[in-house]
Amino acid sequence: MAPKYKLTYINRKGIAEYVRYLLAYLGEDFEDVRLDYDKWKSGSLKHTTPFGRIPYLEVDGKVLTQTIAIARYLGKEAGLGGRNNWEDMQIDIMADTIVDLRTPITLFMFDADEKAKKIKRDAYVNEMLPFYMKKLDAVVKENEGYLANKKLSWADFVFASFIEFVNDNCDIPDPVTEYPHLKKLQQTVFSLPQIKKWRTDRPHTHH
């Protein structure tokens, strides 16, 4: 009997979207619980969550936290892990690199000081993002269209979701446009039948 999955997050794509992608890729129905953002922000719901953070995934009622750990688990369930510890490590390196690249966005997204926010955003868009994107594009070229091991892995789903995150929150042209190998990788993920269906059917949100 297939596991019963329940994902809890706010009504956004955000850092939960690659978990949703992997659940969709698995072909499993899952309960997609979307909390009200204002209620979550106020703190009234935080005491009900593990460590006061979301998203979290319940598998047959057992709670899993930390999105990269969840993605790794679901990726292996879907056959998107490595064939050995070395290959798993290559995937982990790419996933953690994307986390490094994503984290600064949240630092300026929620900065109430508009001047400081602009300084952080401009530094990210003009310096950090191009630096990483150029290197990642070279990695994908070397790996024949993927981030690791020359084959589709769960890290590729994390990357495709990350680009959506950038487009939703940085107010810039699609960053993969100038990087053909990264653009093709995102298209590869989005062209998967399960992902294509999820992106068509999912609730519409601005973030």
Side-chain angles (χ1 to χ4, degrees):
M1 184 175 179
K4 181 179 180 182
Y5 296 103
K6 178 180 178 181
L7 179 67
T8 300
Y9 190 53
I10 57 177
N11 188 29
R12 291 184 175 182
K13 295 190 286 292
I15 61 172
E17 198 63 11
Y18 56 81
V19 176
R20 296 184 181 116
Y21 282 173
L22 287 164
L23 287 166
Y25 183 82
L26 274 166
E28 300 287 355
D29 290 331
F30 65 97
E31 189 176 350
D32 187 22
V33 178
R34 295 174 179 247
L35 305 176
D36 179 82
Y37 175 72
D38 290 332
K39 287 184 179 179
W40 169 252
K41 190 176 179 181
S42 72
S44 60
L45 295 173
K46 289 187 178 183
H47 71 281
T48 67
T49 68
F51 305 108
R53 298 179 67 85
I54 49 177
Y56 61 89
L57 178 69
E58 295 173 67
V59 182
D60 290 334
K62 297 177 182 178
V63 178
L64 304 177
T65 62
Q66 297 294 338
T67 52
I68 288 296
I70 292 169
R72 184 182 299 111
Y73 168 79
L74 293 175
K76 290 184 176 181
E77 290 290 294
L80 295 170
R83 291 175 294 184
N84 51 48
N85 285 341
W86 180 260
E87 288 196 356
D88 279 336
M89 184 63 177
Q90 305 314 303
I91 298 169
D92 286 347
I93 288 170
M94 289 296 99
D96 287 341
T97 297
I98 295 164
V99 171
D100 288 344
L101 186 53
R102 185 188 70 207
T103 300
I105 298 177
T106 61
L107 298 180
F108 64 74
M109 272 177 63
F110 301 109
D111 195 327
D113 184 328
E114 290 299 323
K115 183 176 180 180
K117 181 175 183 175
K118 184 179 186 305
I119 291 172
K120 292 175 186 176
R121 178 199 167 280
D122 289 351
Y124 180 82
V125 169
N126 297 323
E127 298 172 24
M128 186 174 185
L129 186 61
F131 176 84
Y132 272 81
M133 294 292 281
K134 183 178 180 180
K135 289 183 176 295
L136 288 170
D137 196 61
V139 168
V140 172
K141 180 181 180 181
E142 182 181 348
N143 280 280
E144 300 178 4
Y146 304 101
L147 281 171
N149 307 317
K150 299 182 180 180
K151 62 182 180 180
L152 186 69
S153 75
W154 59 268
D156 297 319
F157 291 70
V158 177
F159 173 77
S161 175
F162 162 72
I163 296 302
E164 284 190 308
F165 190 70
V166 172
N167 287 331
D168 286 345
N169 294 289
C170 292
D171 191 26
I172 59 174
D174 191 338
V176 298
T177 301
E178 298 180 15
Y179 303 94
H181 303 289
L182 294 179
K183 183 175 182 179
K184 185 176 179 181
L185 172 58
Q186 187 185 41
Q187 291 172 342
T188 295
V189 174
F190 286 170
S191 296
L192 294 166
Q194 305 96 313
I195 306 307
K196 188 173 183 180
K197 183 178 187 304
W198 168 254
R199 296 185 77 236
T200 300
D201 297 344
R202 69 185 174 184
H204 175 75
T205 61
H206 292 294
H207 295 284

